[in-house]
Amino acid sequence: MTAELVRGQNHPLPQTRLEIRVSAGTPVVAGATLGDEQGRVRGVERVAHPGSPTLPGIEVSRQAAADHRLAVDLEALGQTVHRVSVLLALPLGASGPSRFAAVAAPFVAVTALDGTEIASFTLTGLGAETAVVALELYRRQGAWKVRAVGQGYAGGLPALLADQGLPEAGQLAAVVQEAIALGVSRSVAAPPPRTSDDARVRAPGPGVSGGPEPDGAAPAAVPQQPVRDGAPVNYAHPRRHTATATTTPPPPPPIAPTGAPGEPAPPVAGDAGGWSMDERLYNQVWGMFEDLARTVAAYRSAVDFADSRREQELDRALSDPRGRMGSAGELAREQAHAKREDLVARAREVLDRDLVQLAAESEVVEPALPPAYARWDNPVWHAYRVPMEIPMALRIGDVHLPERPELRIPMLVRLPLERGLWIDAGRTGSEAAAFMDSEQVKGLAVDTAVAIAARLLAVYPAHEFAVHVIDPAGSAAARLAPLTRAGVLAAPPAAGAAGVAELLTGLTERVDLVQMAVRGGAGADALPPGMDTSEQLLIVNDFPHGFDDRALNQLRYLADEGPSVGVHLLMVADREEASAYGPVLQPLWRSLLRLTPVQDDHLADPWVGHAWTYEPPLAPPDSRILEQVLGQVGEARAAWPR
């Protein structure tokens, strides 16, 4: 039976290998400190945090997330460790809440490795605090207990760490925030979560049972939630529908056919809530993304439990020296291994069942996707026509997990782009890049940028999107040919230091003018005559070649301020080549979503933090579809009255 603790209450721990599960409803940082008998932390090496997630006996998440699982092995802690404090903190500088009073009460549970709850604690009553000690595991007379703490700190992590006696509290807090900020560039932003007043219902799906969804399952938020008919549109997980008395809910998903008794219903494209088929498909894709993340997380957790149980049984069976040798010891080993294999096999059976259902859904959904969501090999592109309105999202690649590599989930980002993109032209650690030289990788990086730019041009109305290119040395001229030949660029690629400075100055002035108009409440007629008010994309190749200090500052300004007024960056750069600038460029890299020109497992989901392998949206070899689509866009742009 689970012990539901209140602040200050304790409870004995029946075992030493545990999980601490955190559900916060909004991205938070989770960490842990290892204290002595007085609770003092003797040094930074005794703090587990996203920048240093693993210590003997404790492992925490590498990034901010709404849900966390912390692994704890109390027997692996040193003899001088008498207290493990579990910390939660809000990320600084993020678009999310600035104090715990603005979020739902975080829920923390101590569980066995099989998921059985031992004790739980809901952190109520928090106000201006931005960091909190949620609970602590402490050693008393040789036995371990858990205590609900709930001590908050308005001064954030520095104040919390200083209160535990850490001399370098301020410096370590800065290191933690830096690690969180770096993690942002590898995290895929989920659709906005529901409010706490929403009624959330989810139909049974892979690895998920029907019924109310816990608050902790809400994905991370992104800004600029659109409004239709006076009500905010809910882009949360599909099959979770908002239904409040004060807002108009979107239409329910179409009624799907039912399967035979005891069998899952056959999948249907658009089986999610939304105002249009495009919106329902968007929500359905995000549902597949989350379902795959969670079912694989359950499988991996089961495997970890099976491994841990085998080790415990072997320890018990072989603790007596007399049983280590001979048939008794061999039999104990065989039984422990057999139990482990049985547990893993049962977990794999559940995983395979969910993967089969998701694969069947993918086979139905992929052919039904509109051009903005479809791969280049989808027949929908052969019937392409320049659109008259902007879609809600764009596919910029695929992601998959090693448990089922062929099950690819479309990676959709909301439009207009809310952050810039960075195609990493450096040699990554992926197997695909290991057999390539640096020039091949750089060439593929430009191809990826061209493919993404082509998709953006294709899904916007002809007069509402403009593309600029900086290619200081002209090194990418051949690979940029699909854009230049089709006549879809706003101007020829800027070359040389003078060309770089002129283009950056023009875009910087545009951002300044639009910002002043927006802040002053003025309309488009207040802008200079002839100014292009369409969305702007700046492709930067071969950075930092051709950039002086002024150009560098302008680029950083565009990365920070541009997206809010319709100016977006698409960087093609090798970070190592810009290493001479040192920490000056850290904010630039952090502000961009890092993508790779080859398959690489660097992206993280917003639910459980899996490392997903990203695959760029390149057209099939020998296909002319990209050039055909760009040709239609170029013709439409040329025919549009200026």
Side-chain angles (χ1 to χ4, degrees):
M1 182 175 178
T2 304
E4 298 181 1
L5 306 180
V6 297
R7 188 174 277 106
Q9 187 178 1
N10 60 41
H11 185 75
L13 294 173
Q15 55 200 77
T16 56
R17 292 186 177 181
L18 309 162
E19 271 193 353
I20 298 175
R21 303 187 181 187
V22 178
S23 296
T26 192
V28 298
V29 183
T33 60
L34 307 182
D36 58 19
E37 289 183 286
Q38 288 74 41
R40 296 182 63 83
V41 180
R42 298 182 179 180
V44 295
E45 69 280 358
R46 293 202 169 199
V47 182
H49 57 84
S52 178
T54 304
L55 297 178
I58 186 81
E59 183 174 2
V60 304
S61 304
R62 295 177 179 270
Q63 65 183 50
D67 299 330
H68 292 272
R69 288 188 178 189
L70 283 63
V72 180
D73 184 353
L74 298 175
E75 290 183 349
L77 299 174
Q79 291 299 315
T80 59
V81 176
H82 292 263
R83 187 178 304 178
V84 179
S85 299
V86 177
L87 323 175
L88 304 178
L90 295 172
L92 296 179
S95 58
S98 60
R99 56 197 183 103
F100 274 109
V103 304
F107 174 82
V108 185
V110 180
T111 75
L113 295 183
D114 62 357
T116 303
E117 283 193 8
I118 299 170
S120 65
F121 175 43
T122 301
L123 283 76
T124 58
L126 296 176
E129 297 90 344
T130 60
V132 60
V133 177
L135 51 80
E136 62 183 16
L137 314 179
Y138 64 97
R139 195 196 319 246
R140 183 66 53 83
Q141 296 179 347
W144 284 91
K145 295 183 178 182
V146 57
R147 176 186 290 121
V149 180
Q151 175 64 53
Y153 295 82
L157 273 178
L160 185 156
L161 295 172
D163 193 41
Q164 295 196 1
L166 185 66
E168 308 92 338
Q171 298 93 314
L172 180 59
V175 170
V176 173
Q177 294 298 339
E178 177 73 14
I180 298 163
L182 288 175
V184 170
S185 66
R186 63 181 290 269
S187 179
V188 181
R194 303 154 303 278
T195 64
S196 59
D197 295 329
D198 291 342
R200 290 161 292 191
V201 179
R202 175 169 181 196
V208 183
S209 60
E213 185 74 19
D215 288 341
V222 293
Q224 302 179 4
Q225 184 176 5
V227 174
R228 294 183 186 171
D229 295 346
V233 179
N234 183 4
Y235 294 126
H237 190 291
R239 290 158 269 167
R240 300 176 184 170
H241 312 300
T242 300
T244 68
T246 58
T247 63
T248 303
I255 298 176
T258 58
E263 296 182 1
V268 176
D271 184 19
W275 295 90
S276 65
M277 175 57 84
D278 285 2
E279 185 175 333
R280 293 198 293 270
L281 287 168
Y282 171 84
N283 284 339
Q284 188 171 13
V285 167
W286 272 100
M288 294 164 59
F289 191 9
E290 183 174 353
D291 283 343
L292 182 55
R294 294 194 183 280
T295 194
V296 169
Y299 168 71
R300 292 179 181 179
S301 179
V303 172
D304 289 343
F305 169 71
D307 290 340
S308 175
R309 177 174 173 176
R310 177 182 59 183
E311 292 176 8
Q312 289 179 339
E313 291 182 350
L314 288 174
D315 289 344
R316 286 196 298 267
L318 304 179
S319 59
D320 185 353
R322 293 170 296 179
R324 293 175 189 170
M325 306 299 292
S327 59
E330 188 62 30
L331 179 62
R333 293 185 183 91
E334 291 178 358
Q335 290 177 340
H337 288 297
K339 289 181 181 179
R340 188 264 180 195
E341 294 303 315
D342 179 62
L343 288 172
V344 171
R346 282 188 283 165
R348 185 72 206 196
E349 182 180 355
V350 174
L351 174 67
D352 288 342
R353 181 196 64 204
D354 291 347
L355 292 178
V356 167
Q357 188 172 346
L358 279 167
E361 187 173 10
S362 177
E363 290 175 0
V364 171
V365 169
E366 278 287 354
L369 295 177
Y373 305 170
R375 287 196 296 255
W376 287 114
D377 59 359
N378 192 313
V380 72
W381 284 107
H382 294 284
Y384 169 77
R385 295 293 182 270
V386 178
M388 298 302 294
E389 60 181 20
I390 303 170
M392 83 167 46
L394 178 75
R395 186 177 192 156
I396 60 169
D398 295 338
V399 292
H400 65 268
L401 291 172
E403 281 77 4
R404 189 72 177 263
E406 66 275 16
L407 179 56
R408 285 168 164 76
I409 305 296
M411 181 176 172
L412 302 181
V413 295
R414 291 287 299 277
L415 294 179
L417 293 173
E418 294 169 342
R419 63 191 295 195
L421 305 175
W422 164 32
I423 313 299
D424 190 350
R427 291 286 299 276
T428 65
S430 71
E431 182 179 348
F435 301 99
M436 299 180 184
D437 60 36
S438 59
E439 292 305 314
Q440 286 179 297
V441 177
K442 288 180 180 179
L444 286 175
V446 178
D447 291 343
T448 302
V450 169
I452 292 176
R455 296 181 71 86
L456 284 164
L457 285 162
V459 302
Y460 271 81
H463 61 291
E464 293 188 20
F465 199 81
V467 177
H468 308 267
V469 175
I470 288 178
D471 188 20
S475 59
R479 294 183 181 269
L480 291 170
L483 298 176
T484 55
R485 282 199 301 260
V488 295
L489 295 182
V500 171
E502 181 181 0
L503 181 52
L504 289 175
T505 298
L507 290 175
T508 301
E509 290 177 352
R510 182 192 185 280
V511 171
D512 289 337
L513 290 171
V514 176
Q515 281 187 337
M516 285 189 291
V518 170
R519 290 166 183 165
D525 54 352
L527 298 172
M531 180 177 173
D532 185 2
T533 58
S534 64
E535 297 278 316
Q536 310 284 311
L537 177 71
L538 174 60
I539 302 176
V540 179
N541 181 53
D542 208 16
F543 177 81
H545 182 75
F547 280 74
D548 56 20
D549 289 344
R550 183 170 184 270
L552 179 62
N553 289 330
Q554 288 175 324
L555 190 68
R556 289 178 53 187
Y557 177 75
L558 292 177
D560 293 337
E561 304 294 335
S564 63
V565 291
V567 177
H568 313 283
L569 282 185
L570 178 52
M571 297 276 293
V572 180
D574 180 354
R575 188 169 180 172
E576 291 300 317
E577 293 183 356
S579 59
Y581 288 97
V584 173
L585 288 180
Q586 290 292 347
L588 175 64
W589 305 123
R590 288 199 301 263
S591 68
L592 306 174
L593 175 62
R594 176 177 174 259
L595 305 175
T596 52
V598 295
Q599 291 192 28
D600 188 59
D601 58 348
H602 70 282
L603 288 176
D605 67 77
W607 301 288
V608 293
H610 290 317
W612 292 75
T613 297
Y614 168 78
E615 183 176 347
L618 299 174
D622 302 323
S623 171
R624 302 290 299 172
I625 191 64
L626 186 146
E627 287 80 1
Q628 293 172 14
V629 169
L630 286 177
Q632 292 190 49
V633 174
E635 292 173 2
R637 288 174 61 86
W640 188 263
R642 299 291 178 180

